[in-house]
Short mmCIF file of all heavy atoms in Angstrom, two decimals:
data_model
loop_
_atom_site.label_atom_id
_atom_site.label_comp_id
_atom_site.label_asym_id
_atom_site.label_seq_id
_atom_site.Cartn_x
_atom_site.Cartn_y
_atom_site.Cartn_z
N ALA V 390 265.66 -9.30 -41.78
CA ALA V 390 266.16 -8.73 -40.53
C ALA V 390 265.23 -9.04 -39.37
O ALA V 390 265.69 -9.31 -38.24
CB ALA V 390 266.34 -7.22 -40.68
N LEU V 391 263.94 -9.02 -39.61
CA LEU V 391 262.98 -9.31 -38.54
C LEU V 391 263.13 -10.73 -38.01
O LEU V 391 262.85 -10.98 -36.83
CB LEU V 391 261.55 -9.09 -39.05
CG LEU V 391 261.13 -7.64 -39.27
CD1 LEU V 391 259.76 -7.57 -39.92
CD2 LEU V 391 261.12 -6.87 -37.96
N LYS V 392 263.59 -11.64 -38.84
CA LYS V 392 263.80 -13.01 -38.39
C LYS V 392 264.92 -13.10 -37.35
O LYS V 392 265.02 -14.10 -36.63
CB LYS V 392 264.13 -13.91 -39.59
CG LYS V 392 262.96 -14.13 -40.53
CD LYS V 392 263.35 -14.99 -41.72
CE LYS V 392 262.19 -15.17 -42.69
NZ LYS V 392 262.57 -15.98 -43.88
N THR V 393 265.74 -12.07 -37.28
CA THR V 393 266.85 -12.06 -36.31
C THR V 393 266.51 -11.26 -35.05
O THR V 393 267.40 -10.97 -34.26
CB THR V 393 268.12 -11.47 -36.94
OG1 THR V 393 267.96 -10.04 -37.13
CG2 THR V 393 268.44 -12.11 -38.28
N SER V 394 265.25 -10.93 -34.87
CA SER V 394 264.85 -10.03 -33.77
C SER V 394 265.30 -10.52 -32.41
O SER V 394 265.77 -9.73 -31.57
CB SER V 394 263.33 -9.85 -33.76
OG SER V 394 262.89 -9.21 -34.94
N ASN V 395 265.19 -11.81 -32.14
CA ASN V 395 265.60 -12.34 -30.84
C ASN V 395 267.10 -12.20 -30.64
O ASN V 395 267.57 -11.87 -29.55
CB ASN V 395 265.18 -13.80 -30.69
CG ASN V 395 263.68 -13.95 -30.44
OD1 ASN V 395 263.01 -13.02 -29.99
ND2 ASN V 395 263.16 -15.12 -30.73
N ASP V 396 267.87 -12.44 -31.70
CA ASP V 396 269.32 -12.28 -31.62
C ASP V 396 269.69 -10.82 -31.39
O ASP V 396 270.63 -10.51 -30.64
CB ASP V 396 270.00 -12.80 -32.89
CG ASP V 396 269.86 -14.31 -33.04
OD1 ASP V 396 269.90 -15.01 -32.02
OD2 ASP V 396 269.70 -14.78 -34.18
N ILE V 397 268.96 -9.91 -32.03
CA ILE V 397 269.19 -8.48 -31.81
C ILE V 397 268.95 -8.14 -30.35
O ILE V 397 269.75 -7.45 -29.71
CB ILE V 397 268.27 -7.64 -32.72
CG1 ILE V 397 268.73 -7.74 -34.19
CG2 ILE V 397 268.26 -6.18 -32.28
CD1 ILE V 397 267.77 -7.10 -35.18
N ALA V 398 267.84 -8.63 -29.80
CA ALA V 398 267.47 -8.29 -28.43
C ALA V 398 268.53 -8.72 -27.42
O ALA V 398 268.81 -7.99 -26.47
CB ALA V 398 266.12 -8.91 -28.09
N VAL V 399 269.12 -9.89 -27.62
CA VAL V 399 270.12 -10.37 -26.66
C VAL V 399 271.51 -9.83 -26.98
O VAL V 399 272.47 -10.08 -26.25
CB VAL V 399 270.16 -11.92 -26.61
CG1 VAL V 399 268.81 -12.46 -26.18
CG2 VAL V 399 270.59 -12.51 -27.96
N GLY V 400 271.61 -9.08 -28.09
CA GLY V 400 272.89 -8.46 -28.43
C GLY V 400 273.87 -9.35 -29.15
O GLY V 400 275.06 -9.04 -29.22
N ASP V 401 273.38 -10.46 -29.74
CA ASP V 401 274.28 -11.35 -30.49
C ASP V 401 274.39 -10.80 -31.92
O ASP V 401 273.89 -11.40 -32.87
CB ASP V 401 273.74 -12.77 -30.48
CG ASP V 401 274.76 -13.79 -30.97
OD1 ASP V 401 275.80 -13.37 -31.55
OD2 ASP V 401 274.53 -15.00 -30.80
N MET V 402 275.08 -9.67 -32.05
CA MET V 402 275.15 -8.99 -33.34
C MET V 402 276.01 -9.76 -34.35
O MET V 402 275.80 -9.63 -35.56
CB MET V 402 275.68 -7.58 -33.16
CG MET V 402 274.75 -6.71 -32.31
SD MET V 402 273.03 -6.79 -32.85
CE MET V 402 272.39 -5.24 -32.24
N ALA V 403 276.96 -10.55 -33.88
CA ALA V 403 277.75 -11.36 -34.80
C ALA V 403 276.85 -12.37 -35.53
O ALA V 403 276.99 -12.59 -36.74
CB ALA V 403 278.86 -12.09 -34.06
N ARG V 404 275.92 -12.94 -34.79
CA ARG V 404 274.98 -13.89 -35.39
C ARG V 404 274.04 -13.18 -36.35
O ARG V 404 273.72 -13.70 -37.42
CB ARG V 404 274.20 -14.61 -34.30
CG ARG V 404 273.29 -15.71 -34.82
CD ARG V 404 272.75 -16.57 -33.70
NE ARG V 404 271.95 -17.67 -34.20
CZ ARG V 404 271.45 -18.63 -33.44
NH1 ARG V 404 271.68 -18.63 -32.14
NH2 ARG V 404 270.72 -19.59 -33.98
N VAL V 405 273.59 -11.98 -35.99
CA VAL V 405 272.74 -11.20 -36.88
C VAL V 405 273.47 -10.88 -38.17
O VAL V 405 272.92 -11.03 -39.27
CB VAL V 405 272.28 -9.90 -36.19
CG1 VAL V 405 271.47 -9.04 -37.17
CG2 VAL V 405 271.45 -10.20 -34.94
N GLN V 406 274.72 -10.45 -38.04
CA GLN V 406 275.51 -10.11 -39.23
C GLN V 406 275.69 -11.30 -40.15
O GLN V 406 275.62 -11.17 -41.37
CB GLN V 406 276.85 -9.52 -38.80
CG GLN V 406 276.73 -8.12 -38.24
CD GLN V 406 278.01 -7.62 -37.62
OE1 GLN V 406 278.77 -8.39 -37.01
NE2 GLN V 406 278.28 -6.32 -37.75
N ARG V 407 275.89 -12.49 -39.57
CA ARG V 407 276.01 -13.69 -40.41
C ARG V 407 274.70 -13.99 -41.12
O ARG V 407 274.68 -14.36 -42.29
CB ARG V 407 276.44 -14.89 -39.55
CG ARG V 407 277.87 -14.85 -39.07
CD ARG V 407 278.33 -16.20 -38.55
NE ARG V 407 277.55 -16.65 -37.39
CZ ARG V 407 277.83 -16.35 -36.13
NH1 ARG V 407 278.88 -15.58 -35.85
NH2 ARG V 407 277.09 -16.81 -35.15
N ALA V 408 273.60 -13.80 -40.40
CA ALA V 408 272.29 -14.13 -40.96
C ALA V 408 271.93 -13.22 -42.13
O ALA V 408 271.24 -13.65 -43.07
CB ALA V 408 271.23 -14.04 -39.87
N ILE V 409 272.37 -11.97 -42.08
CA ILE V 409 271.99 -11.03 -43.15
C ILE V 409 273.14 -10.77 -44.13
O ILE V 409 273.03 -9.90 -44.99
CB ILE V 409 271.49 -9.69 -42.57
CG1 ILE V 409 272.63 -8.93 -41.88
CG2 ILE V 409 270.31 -9.92 -41.61
CD1 ILE V 409 272.24 -7.50 -41.46
N SER V 410 274.21 -11.53 -44.00
CA SER V 410 275.42 -11.27 -44.80
C SER V 410 275.17 -11.37 -46.30
O SER V 410 275.80 -10.67 -47.10
CB SER V 410 276.55 -12.21 -44.40
OG SER V 410 276.18 -13.56 -44.63
N LYS V 411 274.23 -12.21 -46.71
CA LYS V 411 273.98 -12.34 -48.15
C LYS V 411 273.35 -11.09 -48.74
O LYS V 411 273.28 -10.95 -49.96
CB LYS V 411 273.11 -13.56 -48.44
CG LYS V 411 271.67 -13.45 -47.98
CD LYS V 411 270.90 -14.70 -48.40
CE LYS V 411 269.43 -14.59 -48.02
NZ LYS V 411 268.67 -15.79 -48.48
N TYR V 412 272.89 -10.19 -47.87
CA TYR V 412 272.31 -8.94 -48.34
C TYR V 412 273.32 -7.79 -48.35
O TYR V 412 272.97 -6.66 -48.63
CB TYR V 412 271.12 -8.54 -47.46
CG TYR V 412 269.98 -9.52 -47.53
CD1 TYR V 412 269.86 -10.55 -46.59
CD2 TYR V 412 269.01 -9.43 -48.52
CE1 TYR V 412 268.82 -11.45 -46.64
CE2 TYR V 412 267.96 -10.32 -48.59
CZ TYR V 412 267.87 -11.34 -47.64
OH TYR V 412 266.83 -12.24 -47.71
N GLY V 413 274.58 -8.11 -48.02
CA GLY V 413 275.61 -7.08 -47.99
C GLY V 413 275.98 -6.61 -49.39
O GLY V 413 275.75 -7.29 -50.39
N HIS V 414 276.56 -5.41 -49.45
CA HIS V 414 276.93 -4.83 -50.74
C HIS V 414 277.98 -3.77 -50.51
O HIS V 414 277.91 -3.06 -49.51
CB HIS V 414 275.69 -4.21 -51.41
CG HIS V 414 275.87 -3.87 -52.85
ND1 HIS V 414 276.50 -2.72 -53.27
CD2 HIS V 414 275.50 -4.53 -53.97
CE1 HIS V 414 276.51 -2.69 -54.60
NE2 HIS V 414 275.90 -3.76 -55.05
N PRO V 415 278.92 -3.63 -51.43
CA PRO V 415 279.90 -2.53 -51.28
C PRO V 415 279.22 -1.18 -51.29
O PRO V 415 278.12 -1.02 -51.82
CB PRO V 415 280.81 -2.71 -52.51
CG PRO V 415 280.60 -4.11 -52.95
CD PRO V 415 279.18 -4.44 -52.60
#
Side-chain angles (χ1 to χ4, degrees):
L391 288 173
K392 291 178 182 178
T393 71
S394 296
N395 286 338
D396 293 324
I397 289 172
V399 300
D401 193 347
M402 297 311 204
R404 186 169 183 174
V405 175
Q406 287 171 325
R407 289 195 298 272
I409 68 172
S410 61
K411 70 177 183 178
Y412 296 94
H414 193 280

